[in-house]
Amino acid sequence: MRWRFIEMALVIVFILITYPVNALDSVSLNVGTIASAQWKLEGINIALADLPKNPQKLVLTIAKLSLPKPFDDLNLVNIRCTAFTWQNKEMSCEQGRAEIHSKRWQSPAANFSFHITEKHSSLMLSDLHLAGGIVTVDGEEQGDQWQLQIDAKAVDGKLIQQLLPQEWFKFKGGKINLKLNASGSHALVKEFTLTAGLDNLTGQTKDGRFATEALMLETTLSAQNNKCIWQWQNHIDINGGVLYTEPLYLEAAGQNIVWDAQGNWDAANTTVDINSASYKHEKVGELSGSASIQYKDGVSLEKAQLSLNSDNLQDVSANYLKPFFEQTILQGVTLAGHLKADFSIDHQVLTALTAVFNNLDVKDASGRGEIQGGAGRLNWSNNELFTQPSKIVWQRLQIHAVPIGPAELGFQGGADSIRLLKKTQLPLLGGAIAINHFRWQAKKQQDPELSFEGGISNVSLEQLSLALNWTPLSGTISGQIPRVEYSNKTLSLGGELIVKVFDGEVKISNLAASGLFTDSPKFHSDLEIENLDLDQLTGKFKFGGITGKLSGYVRQLYMENWRPVSFFAWLGTPENDDSRHRISQKAVQNIANIGGGGAADLLSKSFLRFFETFGYDKLGLGCYLHDGVCQLMGVKATESGYAIITGGGLPRIDVIGYNPRVDWNVLMERLQRISTSDEVIVK
């Protein structure tokens, strides 16, 4: 800061007193106004008393000192120096008082002093009462160089609100301590150090995206201007209270949050380089690394090398991940365990990731799945030549309600693809799922491509049905899954899917699906059913027990939005079935209701109602679905309709269907009534 305006005024006084002054005891000069490009002094008066004495007594008064931008809202007024001396090109004010006024606030008079020589000047303003606190300002100039120190103690956050040019942040309480040391040349700031302390500070921004509650914070920011590039260092220590920065809500009670960083700021190129940074949340984790940020057209993360280390993924999940998971597919997912991860970002895109984790637990509040005792290493890169393998193991994996036992997966991820490296077996409900081949490939602006090949062996149907809350079934399920591919929004099966179940076999062929992830998926398939054991299939249901075998098919099945549009189906007793054929009274009634037969009336009105089961020769029911109507058929045609069950043995009964054409929705309603009214027998 330069004080040449005082020198100018005193030069005028000096000229006056060089003339004979023997008859004068005092002289005064009313300078009026002195203005520069940015500073303005008004009402200047210099009085020189006790002229015959040496030294003389000088009194300086200034009505108003206007400051340059950005301090133009502040003015020093009623400046008065009663111990003002000048001699040998040296001026000083040892005892002065001044007030600070602004549009919103004015201070009581504060102590004011300065000392000016030809090559050195200094200024001090002390005991300045500002918003309930005390402020000291100490400035010094030597040649073209200057230094400035500002020390503000116990400033009331709520009272300082009145001094802000706009209400971008509304303080509600708390104290602020601030210390600034700055130096420079002419109008150029060369370096500064800003230290601030917040004591129980509460407030929020106008838009509510940033807020604090009883926040305890210590911070230091230092910077040096090197050829218009600022080299800076920053330290922040949050040791109490709450900080909200949308969408994160962080509590620091007993868990200090510390940030240390250093880097460069190039204002001309609108870039900030963070050469090194460390963010530590005590008992939670640490994030460290470097980054380059461009902020010309919004904030853009150009490059970053980051490392995350946490022994407490549970708190990482609760504090940092949960807010970002809300309103996404990951809502309700929580993590626990240990993680060390390194990742690279280029132009806001993840380019490489290495993560080592153990004791990993993943839970989903909506019940979609979970992992217990997970461990492994993930290696991924968007480089197509990347070949480092990854491995994941778990003690328990659950998909919805289906548990999968301990297993290990080895795979390779890179360039938007995932590929299984070796065949693996996943324990499942007393059996296993074999994964012989798996590959997933992302496509730009398209659905990803996927291929899979594997098998199922000896999976307990009883355990599976209990896990899925179905009616308990008996037996096991096995089968080979040929190559399944999803490409160009179409799912296809390369061969026959063979499933061994209920001591029989189900073959699925010509399977294809399209639009799976749209509002109107389409599905095609053919099914062949061979020698299913009806006792295993029906034995647990109040629908009615049936013994014997069941074969059939569903051909040219076509579905839209998972609703059948057309098919030709037949289910019935296979030829040359020499197994025992018995059917319960309840099963007869339900089958008759499906086909519209009169067996229910016959059973209730004759002696047959006293029998629990009946013998039969054959049973069968077919349907040709077209235009929403099911054309029904039985094991043979009769004069009045079609036979669904033909009797055999004693006692025997025939079930005849009389309505060959049934609306598909009506048929589904009949089946729904039967299934919802039935009770389940669990032996």
Side-chain angles (χ1 to χ4, degrees):
M1 298 180 182
R2 300 185 61 86
W3 304 99
R4 303 304 185 199
F5 59 86
I6 299 179
E7 292 180 343
M8 292 171 59
L10 292 178
V11 166
I12 297 173
V13 174
F14 173 76
I15 294 173
L16 289 175
I17 64 175
T18 55
Y19 289 93
V21 293
N22 295 333
L24 298 175
D25 291 328
S26 64
V27 63
S28 65
L29 174 64
N30 187 2
V31 180
T33 299
I34 297 177
S36 67
Q38 299 183 15
W39 301 77
K40 185 177 182 181
L41 290 164
E42 301 176 59
I44 303 171
N45 184 274
I46 301 175
L48 183 62
D50 299 331
L51 292 181
K53 299 179 181 180
N54 188 18
Q56 296 84 14
K57 183 179 180 182
L58 279 173
V59 177
L60 172 67
T61 59
I62 302 173
K64 182 179 180 182
L65 167 59
S66 300
L67 302 175
K69 292 182 179 180
F71 309 105
D72 51 334
D73 188 43
L74 300 175
N75 299 290
L76 271 70
V77 300
N78 298 330
I79 301 171
R80 181 177 177 83
C81 287
T82 56
F84 178 52
T85 61
W86 172 77
Q87 57 182 354
N88 298 326
K89 298 183 180 181
E90 182 177 352
M91 295 170 287
S92 66
C93 171
E94 300 296 336
Q95 298 178 8
R97 301 285 285 175
E99 301 173 12
I100 295 181
H101 287 192
S102 74
K103 295 178 181 178
R104 303 186 182 189
W105 166 83
Q106 65 182 42
S107 76
N111 295 328
F112 178 79
S113 64
F114 64 81
H115 182 255
I116 298 176
T117 66
E118 188 174 7
K119 296 182 179 181
H120 180 265
S121 302
S122 64
L123 165 72
M124 176 173 285
L125 191 65
S126 62
D127 198 30
L128 173 62
H129 291 262
L130 173 67
I134 302 297
V135 179
T136 298
V137 180
D138 191 351
E140 184 177 0
E141 177 191 40
Q142 188 163 3
D144 295 332
Q145 307 300 312
W146 58 265
Q147 293 182 344
L148 177 66
Q149 295 181 356
I150 299 176
D151 189 1
K153 296 180 179 179
V155 176
D156 188 284
K158 191 173 183 179
L159 294 177
I160 205 173
Q161 186 78 57
Q162 305 171 9
L163 306 180
L164 299 178
Q166 56 182 355
E167 292 186 359
W168 64 276
F169 189 88
K170 186 175 182 180
F171 292 94
K172 297 182 179 180
K175 300 290 185 181
I176 302 172
N177 297 311
L178 183 145
K179 182 176 289 187
L180 172 67
N181 292 326
S183 62
S185 176
H186 297 291
L188 178 66
V189 179
K190 288 188 174 181
E191 61 179 318
F192 71 86
T193 298
L194 175 65
T195 302
L198 307 181
D199 186 2
N200 285 301
L201 189 72
T202 298
Q204 68 177 45
T205 56
K206 190 174 182 179
D207 59 11
R209 294 183 177 181
F210 181 86
T212 65
E213 182 177 346
L215 186 67
M216 306 291 289
L217 180 148
E218 299 287 339
T219 182
T220 300
L221 174 63
S222 300
Q224 302 80 39
N225 192 337
N226 184 8
K227 297 180 180 180
C228 297
I229 295 179
W230 284 96
Q231 298 172 336
W232 55 269
Q233 306 84 38
N234 183 220
H235 171 81
I236 300 174
D237 186 351
I238 302 175
N239 51 47
V242 176
L243 173 66
Y244 173 77
T245 176
E246 191 179 36
L248 299 177
Y249 180 88
L250 303 175
E251 294 187 69
Q255 296 181 327
N256 281 27
I257 299 174
V258 179
W259 160 269
D260 284 292
Q262 62 89 17
N264 301 321
W265 172 37
D266 187 348
N269 293 314
T270 61
T271 60
V272 176
D273 292 323
I274 303 175
N275 298 330
S276 65
S278 172
Y279 177 87
K280 297 180 181 179
H281 191 159
E282 188 178 357
K283 301 178 183 178
V284 177
E286 177 181 358
L287 179 67
S288 60
S290 60
S292 179
I293 299 171
Q294 170 68 246
Y295 60 92
K296 182 178 181 180
D297 299 315
V299 178
S300 173
L301 184 59
E302 299 295 287
K303 287 185 177 297
Q305 296 287 336
L306 302 172
S307 295
L308 173 64
N309 194 351
S310 174
D311 291 330
N312 186 359
L313 279 180
Q314 185 172 352
D315 282 358
V316 170
S317 176
N319 288 295
Y320 295 96
L321 300 182
K322 182 180 178 181
F324 293 99
F325 287 177
E326 296 293 331
Q327 307 302 319
T328 73
I329 194 173
L330 296 176
Q331 182 171 343
V333 174
T334 58
L335 308 177
H338 311 290
L339 172 69
K340 187 180 187 308
D342 299 308
F343 44 98
S344 302
I345 297 173
D346 191 357
H347 291 87
Q348 302 198 122
V349 175
L350 182 67
T351 58
L353 168 67
T354 298
V356 179
F357 56 91
N358 55 69
N359 296 327
L360 178 68
D361 289 341
V362 181
K363 294 183 178 180
D364 179 17
S366 62
R368 290 170 295 181
E370 66 176 60
I371 296 174
Q372 294 180 7
R377 181 183 183 92
L378 299 179
N379 295 305
W380 179 88
S381 171
N382 65 351
N383 187 336
E384 293 183 356
L385 302 178
F386 183 78
T387 59
Q388 291 188 28
S390 299
K391 182 178 75 172
I392 179 173
V393 299
W394 63 80
Q395 294 302 311
R396 186 173 185 271
L397 169 67
Q398 184 163 313
I399 301 175
H400 290 281
V402 179
I404 298 175
E408 175 182 320
L409 287 177
F411 59 94
Q412 180 178 308
D416 300 324
S417 68
I418 299 174
R419 179 173 62 89
L420 187 71
L421 292 177
K422 61 180 181 180
K423 297 179 180 180
T424 189
Q425 295 269 347
L426 306 182
L428 175 66
L429 303 175
I433 295 179
I435 304 178
N436 300 329
H437 165 83
F438 177 87
R439 182 178 179 86
W440 177 88
Q441 178 70 55
K443 294 290 184 179
K444 291 183 178 179
Q445 299 179 342
Q446 298 181 38
D447 288 346
E449 293 183 352
L450 182 142
S451 60
F452 173 84
E453 184 178 335
I456 304 173
S457 61
N458 299 318
V459 173
S460 169
L461 275 174
E462 184 173 6
Q463 294 182 47
L464 179 63
S465 56
L466 287 174
L468 298 177
N469 199 28
W470 293 348
T471 298
L473 301 172
S474 59
T476 60
I477 180 171
S478 300
Q480 293 300 314
I481 305 174
R483 195 175 187 89
V484 178
E485 294 186 345
Y486 179 79
S487 180
N488 296 322
K489 299 184 178 182
T490 300
L491 180 72
S492 59
L493 181 68
E496 291 184 337
L497 172 60
I498 301 175
V499 180
K500 296 184 181 298
V501 62
F502 302 124
D503 285 344
E505 192 173 85
V506 177
K507 296 180 181 179
I508 303 173
S509 60
N510 300 321
L511 185 149
S514 61
L516 288 178
F517 304 106
T518 69
D519 293 334
S520 182
K522 297 177 176 59
F523 182 88
H524 301 262
S525 184
D526 291 325
L527 289 88
E528 296 288 335
I529 301 167
E530 295 183 8
N531 294 313
L532 300 188
D533 187 315
L534 280 170
D535 187 33
Q536 292 185 35
L537 181 62
T538 64
K540 299 287 186 178
F541 293 91
K542 265 292 189 177
F543 172 87
I546 307 174
T547 64
K549 298 291 185 177
L550 181 71
S551 294
Y553 52 80
V554 179
R555 294 173 182 166
Q556 300 178 17
L557 171 64
Y558 173 59
M559 304 174 71
E560 290 184 356
N561 198 21
W562 307 112
R563 295 175 62 87
V565 174
S566 62
F567 64 79
F568 180 53
W570 169 260
L571 292 173
T573 304
E575 297 294 334
N576 303 319
D577 176 21
D578 57 0
S579 61
R580 185 169 183 262
H581 291 182
R582 302 295 293 181
I583 184 169
S584 71
Q585 185 174 142
K586 182 64 173 178
V588 170
Q589 290 176 326
N590 284 326
I591 291 175
N593 288 333
I594 293 173
D601 290 338
L602 177 64
L603 288 171
S604 62
K605 295 178 180 178
S606 70
F607 74 95
L608 292 176
R609 68 181 183 274
F610 298 109
F611 293 92
E612 292 185 1
T613 64
F614 304 92
Y616 73 92
D617 180 36
K618 289 185 178 181
L619 61 78
L621 186 66
C623 169
Y624 171 59
L625 177 64
H626 182 69
D627 289 339
V629 175
C630 189
Q631 178 72 43
L632 295 174
M633 62 202 74
V635 293
K636 68 177 183 179
T638 66
E639 294 181 0
S640 56
Y642 52 93
I644 302 175
I645 299 176
T646 57
L650 293 174
R652 58 173 289 165
I653 190 171
D654 295 329
V655 176
I656 307 299
Y658 299 105
N659 300 322
R661 291 174 58 84
V662 180
D663 183 273
W664 175 256
N665 292 327
V666 172
L667 183 60
M668 290 299 98
E669 288 175 3
R670 290 178 184 175
L671 292 173
Q672 180 68 20
R673 284 197 300 269
I674 293 171
S675 63
T676 56
S677 62
D678 288 341
E679 298 175 0
V680 177
I681 301 174
V682 181
K683 297 181 180 178

